[in-house]
Amino acid sequence: MFVVFKSYVLIIYLVLLWIDNATAQSSSQEFNSNRNTFYVASNGNDNNPGTFEKPWATWQKGFNMAGAGDTIYIRGGTYYANLLDPYGVILSNRKGTKLKPIHIFNYPLEHPILDCSTIKKSSDDNIGIYLNRCSYIYLKGLSVTGVSQHTYNTGACAYLFEHGGVYKVENCNAYNNEGAGFQGYATDTVALINCDSYNNFDVSTKGYKGGQADGFVFCFTSKNSYTSFFGCRAWYNSDDGFDCWKNEGTVIFEKCWAFDNGRGQGDGGGFKLGKTTLSPSKIPQRILTNCMAFYNRFIGFNQNDAFVKMIFYNNIAFKNKESGFSTGQFNTNSVYKNNISYRNGGKDYFSVNAANTNNSWNYKIHKSVSDNDFISVDTAGVSGKRQKNGDLPDIKFLRLAEKSDLINAGVDIGNNYIGKAPDLGPFEWQPK
């Protein structure tokens, strides 16, 4: 079974990234010599030609001018959305191609921020960056903040990807918005890499204050859709960290953190994996590897009526108020290996027919798991600055201590490990 699963994941990743390694890692010099390159800067003018010396002034101008193969660099600084437009930026029916995607990047080492607090439109939902029916769009290094509901029970979100695909989103941030950070609706293929979504709270939702601001929510997709999260964080959002409501496709989470979610009347789950309404595929449709869910107000890993096969490898649930894992609905032959559930508020639930081995709850070490198994149970640094390459912070929280019984207690799932066997949890212990 494992060989089949491993090859399946490889195929999914190739689909999700949609460009070969050379294109994905192309340097700015390659784009400068082979494609059109334009610039946006806070001291620019939209009547300029968009060169480095004479840049445009607004993100909307840059998005409007981007064609297949083009790169738009947005210089650092804070940019303010148009006063009377419900969208900070909108792009519809713009098509890149696999060989010529549209790139909209931060200028290297600079941090552009789109502040949407200036939007005063009251009759429509307010959105920071809205991509509708586009294809092969690559966003990188952008931040959106200040998107407000403005009036009672209107919607808001920082990034909305509606229909279309393929979208790749890397090192982008959504924070202090009155709605979801990143939302996908009826999308085809989306890859989110090293993105952060935090402190989003919908203050004006009717009868359900705080109930709509997820960190990431990708919903109402077809069975053939693919959504991937790698190295993403969701914290202090009023609803859930990650939500797959009515996502009928395949969703992959790797090295993602969901913590401290659930404020107001929001649910407060870490990873919410459903609901789905169609019959499950023969292959897994929810795959979670090396993820952490901690200090959420509800459940760390919640099946939530996802009628699909699930894979859980090397994850940890810690101090979630309700439970660590609530994944016992439907007998869909799910797989749990090398996971840890510790100090959660209630009982965990797993599928009856699951392949459920070498987890902290399966054998005698369950009774002996303690704070001493970890270098630290202090969350210091979890919301801190990322590493220079965009990776998650290098912290001590929930890393295994040298003498922990959880070291070498796992089973081989095909990944590299140190010692006699893999460790439990998301971090492989390494000798000093």
Side-chain angles (χ1 to χ4, degrees), residues 153-266:
N153 209 41
T154 55
C157 68
Y159 299 77
L160 176 59
F161 309 95
E162 190 169 10
H163 302 287
V166 180
Y167 300 120
K168 183 178 179 181
V169 187
E170 184 175 3
N171 294 123
C172 289
N173 304 306
Y175 57 92
N176 300 345
N177 299 288
E178 294 182 358
F182 295 80
Q183 181 171 343
Y185 179 87
T187 51
D188 177 7
T189 304
V190 183
L192 297 106
I193 304 165
N194 293 339
C195 294
D196 287 339
S197 185
Y198 57 95
N199 199 34
N200 300 299
F201 192 131
D202 51 315
V203 296
S204 301
T205 298
K206 182 179 180 181
Y208 201 36
K209 182 178 180 180
Q212 299 297 324
D214 298 304
F216 301 82
V217 52
F218 280 74
C219 55
F220 294 98
T221 66
S222 73
K223 202 164 187 175
N224 295 322
S225 67
Y226 300 95
T227 307
S228 170
F229 300 90
F230 179 89
C232 294
R233 292 183 294 183
W235 74 92
Y236 205 52
N237 299 293
S238 61
D239 201 16
D240 304 302
F242 298 87
D243 193 340
C244 303
W245 178 255
K246 291 193 177 179
N247 189 316
E248 306 290 351
T250 298
V251 186
I252 299 173
F253 299 93
E254 184 173 353
K255 296 183 179 179
C256 293
W257 300 355
F259 54 97
D260 201 23
N261 295 292
R263 295 186 289 147
Q265 294 175 277

Side-chain angles (χ1 to χ4, degrees), residues 413-432:
I413 60 168
N415 294 334
N416 295 330
Y417 59 87
I418 298 170
K420 296 181 295 184
D423 303 336
L424 302 196
F427 304 112
E428 183 74 11
W429 180 81
Q430 298 185 19
K432 296 180 181 179

